[in-house]
C-alpha cells in the first residue's frame, strides 16, 4: 500500500483557485486538530455534488488527501463543523432530511488510528448519527454445518422487526436457492480484493478456499433500519471484529460431535464430497479456537435445535426474563432551517434559528448533548440526546429531553 498523495500548498493553489475549487454554490469548513487542519468542502455543480476532505499538515506544510472510510452524507446545502474530544468533528448539515442531518467525521478515534496503521495513509471515517438505542450487534460463529444459519433464520422469523442480517460478500458460487443481495453479495475476487484494499470491509477472511467479508455498508444498512445487526461469520472473521471498534456480543455454536457435524453437512447436500472434507478439516481448528481463544462471550452446543434456540434467546434477553425492547424508533432530528451553531461546553451544542419564530421555542433552538455517544465508525453513532429550550425561561436550566 502506498503513501497518501501529498500535495504542496502551491500545487493545491494551482489545482484549486479557492480551496476545493468551489463554484458559487460550494462551501467548506476548516477544523484544527493538533498539527492538522481538516478542510471539509463541497462543490455543488448543478446536478453533481462532491464532498471531500483535505488535510493540511502544519508540521510539514503539505496538503494530504486522506483515505475516506464509511458512507458519506447525501448532498446537502451547507454545514457547520464542531470539534469534539479532539478525535471527531460533528457535522450539522443544512438542507438535509431529519434522518440525515447529523454526522461525525472521525479523525483520530481508535478505529481511525487502527486503519491508519493498516492502510499506511492518512485516514478519516464518516459515521452517521442515528437516534434510538439499538442493542449491540450479535456475531454468530461456528464450523460449517453446525446450524448457525438455521438458528439465525429462526430468530429473524420470530422477531422480524428486531433483527437485521448483515449480508456478507463472497467469491463462492451461489447455491440453488440463494439470492444475490439477500443471502450474500456474490462477487468477483478482483472486485472484492480492490474493495478490501480501499478499506470498505469491516473484516474479511479466506474460508474453505473462498473469500468472505462483511462490508461496512452491510452493517450500516442494518443500523439505519433501526434493527439489531446479526453477523454470521467464521472464527477468523470473529477475531477481526473482536479486534475492531465494533462493540458486539460474540456467540460460538459448537456441534455435539464431529460425526454429527459430518452428517448435517451431508444431509444438507449443498457441497461436493471434496468440499465436505475440506470443511470438516477446518472445523477441527475452528472448534479448538472457538472454545479456547477468548474471542467468544458465550458457547452454545447445538445438539437439540429447539433447546439451542431457547438458550440463544435467553442469552439475547428474549426468553421473557427481561422486558423486550420495542423496535427502536429511528427518529430524525428537525433542525431549524436557517441556523447558527455554537458550542456551549464540551458536551453541549446549541443550534439556533437565525430568524426565530415567536412562541415556537422548540423550532427556534435545540441543544445537542454529546456526552453519552456510543458506537461510531465503522457503523453508526448512537446516544445523542436532543433537547429543546424551555419556552418560558428560554434558558438552559429549563431544557428537557425530547421524546
Ligand atoms: N440441532 C440440529 N440437529 C439436526 N440438524 C440440524 C440442527 N441444526 C441444524 N441442522 C441442520 O444442519 C444443516 C446445516 O445447518 P446450517 O446450514 O444452518 O449450518 P451453518 O452453520 O449455517 O453452515 P454454513 O456455515 O456452511 O453456512 C441444515 O440442513 C440444518 O437443517
Ligand atoms: N469471515 C467471514 N466469514 C463468513 C462471512 N460470511 C459467511 N462466512 C462464513 O463462511 C463459512 C461458509 O459459509 P457458506 O455460506 O459458504 O456455507 C461459514 O462459516 C460462515 O459463517 C463473512 O462475511 N466473513
Amino acid at each position: 500500500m502506498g503513501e497518501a498523495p501529498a500535495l504542496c500548498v502551491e500545487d493545491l493553489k494551482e489545482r484549486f483557485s479557492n480551496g476545493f475549487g468551489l463554484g458559487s454554490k460550494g462551501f467548506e469548513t476548516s477544523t484544527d486538530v493538533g498539527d492538522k487542519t481538516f478542510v471539509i468542502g463541497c462543490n455543488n455543480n448543478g446536478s453533481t455534488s462532491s464532498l471531500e476532505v483535505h488535510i493540511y499538515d502544519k508540521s510539514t506544510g503539505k496538503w494530504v488527501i486522506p483515505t475516506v472510510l464509511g458512507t458519506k452524507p447525501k448532498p446537502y446545502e451547507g454545514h457547520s463543523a464542531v470539534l469534539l474530544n479532539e478525535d471527531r468533528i460533528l457535522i450539522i448539515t443544512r438542507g438535509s432530511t431529519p434522518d440525515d442531518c447529523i454526522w461525525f467525521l472521525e479523525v483520530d478515534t481508535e478505529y481511525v488510528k487502527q486503519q491508519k496503521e493498516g492502510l499506511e495513509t492518512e485516514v478519516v471515517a464518516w459515521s452517521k448519527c442515528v437516534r434510538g438505542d439499538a442493542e449491540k450487534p450479535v456475531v454468530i460463529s461456528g464450523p460449517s454445518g453446525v446450524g448457525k444459519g438455521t438458528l439465525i433464520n429462526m430468530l429473524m422469523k420470530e422477531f422480524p422487526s428486531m433483527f437485521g442480517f448483515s449480508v456478507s460478500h463472497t467469491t463462492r458460487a451461489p447455491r440453488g436457492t440463494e439470492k444475490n443481495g439477500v443471502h450474500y453479495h456474490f462477487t468477483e475476487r478482483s472486485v472484492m480484493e480492490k474493495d478490501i484494499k480501499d478499506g470498505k470491509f469491516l473484516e474479511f477472511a479466506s474460508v474453505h478456499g473462498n473469500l468472505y467479508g462483511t462490508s461496512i455498508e452491510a452493517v450500516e444498512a442494518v443500523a439505519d433500519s433501526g434493527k439489531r445487526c446479526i453477523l454470521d461469520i467464521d472464527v477468523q472473521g470473529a477475531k477481526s471484529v473482536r479486534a475492531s471498534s465494533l462493540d458486539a456480543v460474540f456467540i460460538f455454536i459448537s456441534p455435539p460431535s464431529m460425526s454429527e457435524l459430518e452428517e448435517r453437512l451431508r444431509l444438507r447436500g449443498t457441497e461436493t464430497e471434496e468440499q465436505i472434507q475440506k470443511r470438516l478439516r477446518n472445523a477441527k481448528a475452528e472448534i479448538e479456537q472457538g472454545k479456547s481463544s477468548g474471542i467468544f462471550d458465550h458457547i452454545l452446543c447445538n445438539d437439540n435445535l429447539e433447546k439451542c434456540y431457547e438458550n440463544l434467546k435467553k442469552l439475547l434477553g428474549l426468553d421473557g426474563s427481561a422486558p423486550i425492547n420495542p423496535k427502536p424508533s429511528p427518529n430524525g432530528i428537525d433542525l431549524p432551517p436557517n441556523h447558527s451553531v455554537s458550542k456551549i461546553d464540551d458536551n453541549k451544542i446549541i443550534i439556533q434559528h437565525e430568524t426565530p419564530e415567536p412562541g415556537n421555542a422548540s423550532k427556534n433552538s435545540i441543544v445537542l448533548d454529546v456526552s453519552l455517544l456510543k458506537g461510531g465508525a465503522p457503523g453508526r453513532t448512537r446516544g445523542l440526546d436532543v433537547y429543546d429550550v424551555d419556552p418560558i425561561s428560554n434558558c438552559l436550566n429549563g431544557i428537557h429531553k425530547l421524546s
Side-chain angles (χ1 to χ4, degrees):
M1 233 140 315
E3 279 192 7
L7 301 172
C8 294
V9 184
E10 288 310 313
D11 292 345
L12 204 76
K13 276 187 190 152
E14 249 174 53
R15 278 181 54 184
F16 309 116
S17 56
N18 176 19
F20 285 94
L22 304 174
S24 57
K25 287 184 180 162
F27 51 84
E28 68 184 27
T29 55
S30 66
T31 307
D32 286 334
V33 187
D35 266 355
K36 293 174 185 156
T37 303
F38 291 81
V39 182
I40 305 165
C42 186
N43 199 349
N44 287 329
N45 276 330
S47 58
T48 62
S49 166
S50 65
L51 183 63
E52 291 175 33
V53 182
H54 292 169
I55 304 171
Y56 180 65
D57 186 334
K58 289 179 247 174
S59 65
T60 60
K62 287 185 174 169
W63 286 93
V64 178
I65 299 175
T67 299
V68 181
L69 302 177
T71 323
K72 58 187 177 185
K74 293 192 196 104
Y76 55 82
E77 291 161 10
H79 69 245
S80 305
V82 181
L83 178 63
L84 302 177
N85 198 33
E86 296 291 312
D87 65 5
R88 72 194 69 203
I89 301 169
L90 169 68
I91 302 291
I92 301 161
T93 68
R94 265 178 237 114
S96 305
T97 52
D99 65 347
D100 201 50
C101 60
I102 308 283
W103 284 79
F104 296 92
L105 182 74
E106 299 194 5
V107 296
D108 201 29
T109 55
E110 281 311 310
Y111 172 65
V112 165
K113 283 180 191 161
Q114 271 174 18
Q115 297 300 312
K116 272 187 204 174
E117 263 183 44
L119 294 168
E120 294 178 4
T121 62
E122 280 293 343
V123 172
V124 294
W126 286 106
S127 174
K128 184 159 87 166
C129 178
V130 291
R131 300 290 301 279
D133 212 7
E135 296 191 61
K136 286 181 187 182
V138 185
V139 172
I140 297 201
S141 197
S144 175
V146 74
K148 302 178 297 294
T150 308
L151 289 161
I152 292 170
N153 285 341
M154 289 165 86
L155 262 186
M156 307 267 294
K157 200 167 168 200
E158 187 174 351
F159 304 99
S161 62
M162 193 175 286
F163 294 101
F165 185 61
S166 156
V167 181
S168 295
H169 283 62
T170 182
T171 60
R172 87 150 159 75
R175 293 178 188 139
T177 54
E178 284 179 334
K179 286 203 184 88
N180 190 29
V182 177
H183 299 93
Y184 280 106
H185 298 287
F186 296 100
T187 314
E188 290 290 319
R189 182 174 278 266
S190 57
V191 175
M192 192 162 162
E193 281 174 347
K194 177 167 186 317
D195 285 349
I196 289 170
K197 209 169 155 193
D198 290 346
K200 292 188 181 165
F201 279 81
L202 169 63
E203 63 77 29
F204 61 91
S206 175
V207 190
H208 319 312
N210 286 299
L211 207 51
Y212 292 77
T214 308
S215 70
I216 294 171
E217 206 176 332
V219 177
E220 288 178 343
V222 179
D224 287 355
S225 68
K227 296 183 183 178
R228 188 171 188 182
C229 186
I230 305 189
L231 291 84
D232 173 348
I233 58 179
D234 87 317
V235 175
Q236 307 167 73
K239 199 171 169 187
S240 304
V241 177
R242 181 58 109 178
S244 81
S245 46
L246 190 82
D247 190 17
V249 179
F250 293 78
I251 301 172
F252 184 78
I253 311 289
S254 76
S257 65
M258 284 304 288
S259 56
E260 174 68 23
L261 186 67
E262 182 166 355
E263 193 174 327
R264 286 183 198 172
L265 274 176
R266 281 192 201 295
L267 284 177
R268 189 170 73 180
T270 49
E271 270 72 33
T272 62
E273 182 56 30
E274 194 189 337
Q275 285 164 344
I276 290 175
Q277 291 307 328
K278 190 181 245 179
R279 285 177 182 236
L280 287 172
R281 276 197 303 279
N282 292 340
K284 289 201 177 112
E286 287 191 279
I287 294 167
E288 226 163 79
Q289 266 209 305
K291 289 187 170 171
S292 64
S293 59
I295 301 170
F296 295 95
D297 302 308
H298 309 281
I299 298 173
L300 289 180
C301 177
N302 182 15
D303 188 352
N304 175 293
L305 182 61
E306 288 309 322
K307 228 166 151 185
C308 184
Y309 181 57
E310 286 310 312
N311 286 334
L312 177 61
K313 286 201 291 183
K314 206 182 269 180
L315 285 185
L316 300 174
L318 300 169
D319 61 337
S321 60
I324 294 177
N325 286 342
K327 180 179 177 248
S329 56
N331 289 340
I333 298 166
D334 279 314
L335 297 180
N338 295 312
H339 57 249
S340 60
V341 172
S342 33
K343 210 169 171 178
I344 300 171
D345 60 30
D346 282 349
N347 290 322
K348 292 193 187 65
I349 290 102
I350 186 160
I351 304 174
Q352 288 171 298
H353 202 317
E354 278 171 353
T355 46
E357 294 168 37
N360 202 351
S362 67
K363 283 253 157 71
N364 291 337
S365 308
I366 60 169
V367 174
L368 306 182
D369 182 338
V370 294
S371 58
L372 295 174
L373 292 184
K374 285 185 282 193
R380 300 312 197 199
T381 304
R382 296 184 181 276
L384 182 78
D385 279 333
V386 185
Y387 301 88
D388 61 0
V389 177
D390 187 284
I392 311 285
S393 64
N394 198 29
C395 72
L396 290 178
N397 291 333
I399 60 179
H400 56 273
K401 209 168 173 176
L402 288 179
S403 56

